[in-house]
Amino acid sequence: MKGWTVETVMGLAALSSQGRALAELTLKARFVHFLEKITDEPETFRAAMRRYRVILSGGAAVRFLETKGDWTPGDFDFFCSDEGFEPFCDFVQSRLAGSTVLSVEKQAYYTPDPNSYVAMFSRGVGPDSSRGLKERRVITTNRGKFDILRAASFSPLFPIVYFHSTIVMSVLSADAFCIPYPWLFLKKSLVTLSSNPCGRDRTAVEKYVEERGYDAYETMHSFWTPLAGSECMPHGHCARDVRYFADEHCLTFSWDHKTGNGCVGGALAAAGFPFRCNICWVWGGSGCNDDLCTGEVDTTAQPFLSTPSDMIVSS
């Protein structure tokens, strides 16, 4: 069970109610074990993630979902809602004996200095490329490094859409995971948000390629073989598709009945994420072969309130 892949878990969950229950128990135990690397109180930590609307993304989330990788993430990237940022930072400092080693506020993102922290958020996609983030704080403990980021939204998912590639859009809550581009993820591939990433973006992408065994593509087109005729790229990969977390194209699974009801897909709150403010986005870039879907579109994201009508529950 320790080496089960995402495909194994999802296949087992779809097989029967007993299979789903076993998949949930396995993922929950694996996540608790994963958190034991950074805390002696994993259940208390999970409770704090729910209470303060915190998600885990970046290398740590990818490593958890990958299961068979032989690399170790350098830190833990936690994304917080606007109002949950300070209390979660306080929690890490007080319960995990953390020390703040870096704090960057909003105004630093807009400085023209190319060597400043703004370089990390430069996507080459226009002036909105840094709007998803409001603050960053790095806290270290004797068990690890916490890179805690504050979203400029009630949803901690907002900044993720503007990060360097599809790989970091895969996220974990205390009770669920969501992989927005599973076809890419399962093939150990990523598509960069900018066709020419620079600075820390380039370094991050190179790390996934050179150290973690991923293939990088500049566009969705270069990943998918262009389709004949006027069909759009499949599975939500069209540059113009309006997507949202836990939509029908995502691979979403909850391992806790109390919060997620074991549903696959659907509204965020029903899918195991402790908030209802979701994010919709358009990936941007070149369109498909359809005559009505040509030219370039910008990357954009927008918060919206997820409702029960969005929910897709597997039978």
Side-chain angles (χ1 to χ4, degrees):
M1 295 182 186
K2 182 180 179 181
W4 281 2
T5 62
V6 169
E7 303 102 305
T8 301
V9 170
M10 298 302 291
L12 184 62
L15 186 63
S16 65
S17 58
Q18 293 85 358
R20 182 192 301 275
L22 181 57
E24 291 171 357
L25 287 172
T26 300
L27 277 174
K28 182 177 179 179
R30 183 191 295 170
F31 189 57
V32 168
H33 178 69
F34 187 72
L35 291 178
E36 286 174 345
K37 299 175 183 178
I38 56 174
T39 176
D40 291 328
E41 301 176 297
E43 291 300 340
T44 301
F45 195 92
R46 290 178 69 212
M49 289 182 68
R50 298 187 197 102
R51 184 180 309 116
Y52 305 128
R53 301 176 186 174
V54 176
I55 58 170
L56 178 64
S57 182
V62 173
R63 182 64 188 85
F64 173 81
L65 292 167
E66 194 178 292
T67 67
K68 291 186 177 180
D70 57 359
W71 52 273
T72 301
D75 55 18
F76 289 76
D77 298 323
F78 289 100
F79 289 76
C80 303
S81 60
D82 188 9
E83 75 280 13
F85 177 78
E86 288 292 350
F88 184 69
C89 287
D90 290 343
F91 171 84
V92 173
Q93 289 179 309
S94 61
R95 296 298 291 264
L96 278 65
S99 299
T100 298
V101 296
L102 176 67
S103 182
V104 183
E105 296 183 358
K106 182 178 180 180
Q107 59 265 28
Y109 303 148
Y110 300 96
T111 172
D113 179 3
N115 296 316
S116 71
Y117 192 67
V118 70
M120 185 174 180
F121 304 104
S122 297
R123 306 290 160 236
V125 293
D128 292 335
S129 61
S130 63
R131 70 176 181 174
L133 282 170
K134 192 172 182 179
E135 190 171 352
R136 178 199 185 206
R137 197 169 298 170
V138 178
I139 300 176
T140 60
T141 73
N142 61 358
R143 304 275 283 272
K145 177 182 175 184
F146 295 73
D147 204 345
I148 305 175
L149 299 113
R150 184 177 198 166
S153 168
F154 287 114
S155 174
L157 296 164
F158 190 38
I160 293 173
V161 177
Y162 294 104
F163 268 61
H164 57 74
S165 67
T166 54
I167 193 66
V168 291
M169 293 183 71
S170 300
V171 297
L172 302 171
S173 73
D175 305 295
F177 69 74
C178 179
I179 305 175
Y181 293 99
W183 285 77
L184 281 161
F185 185 90
L186 296 176
K187 291 182 178 293
K188 292 205 70 172
S189 300
L190 60 88
V191 173
T192 57
L193 187 57
S194 169
S195 60
N196 185 29
C198 59
R200 297 190 186 187
D201 280 346
R202 180 182 295 276
T203 300
V205 172
E206 288 175 349
K207 182 184 295 184
Y208 275 97
V209 173
E210 296 172 5
E211 300 178 16
R212 301 173 180 178
Y214 281 76
D215 294 319
Y217 297 86
E218 292 185 356
T219 65
M220 293 291 184
H221 268 295
S222 56
F223 172 71
W224 289 100
T225 301
L227 300 178
S230 60
E231 296 181 56
C232 278
M233 284 182 284
H235 312 297
H237 286 71
C238 175
R240 293 173 180 262
D241 272 2
V242 178
R243 297 287 312 278
Y244 59 91
F245 286 92
D247 68 10
E248 63 180 331
H249 301 299
C250 292
L251 196 58
T252 310
F253 188 79
S254 168
W255 53 77
D256 196 313
H257 278 293
K258 293 182 291 184
T259 58
N261 299 319
C263 69
V264 179
L268 276 181
F273 289 80
F275 44 86
R276 288 182 58 194
C277 187
N278 202 339
I279 301 296
C280 62
W281 74 87
V282 173
W283 182 256
S286 58
C288 300
N289 296 330
D290 194 312
D291 291 339
L292 300 177
C293 190
T294 58
E296 297 281 331
V297 293
D298 291 334
T299 300
T300 186
Q302 181 67 42
F304 73 97
L305 187 64
S306 180
T307 65
S309 62
D310 298 319
M311 189 164 60
I312 306 169
V313 182
S314 65
S315 57

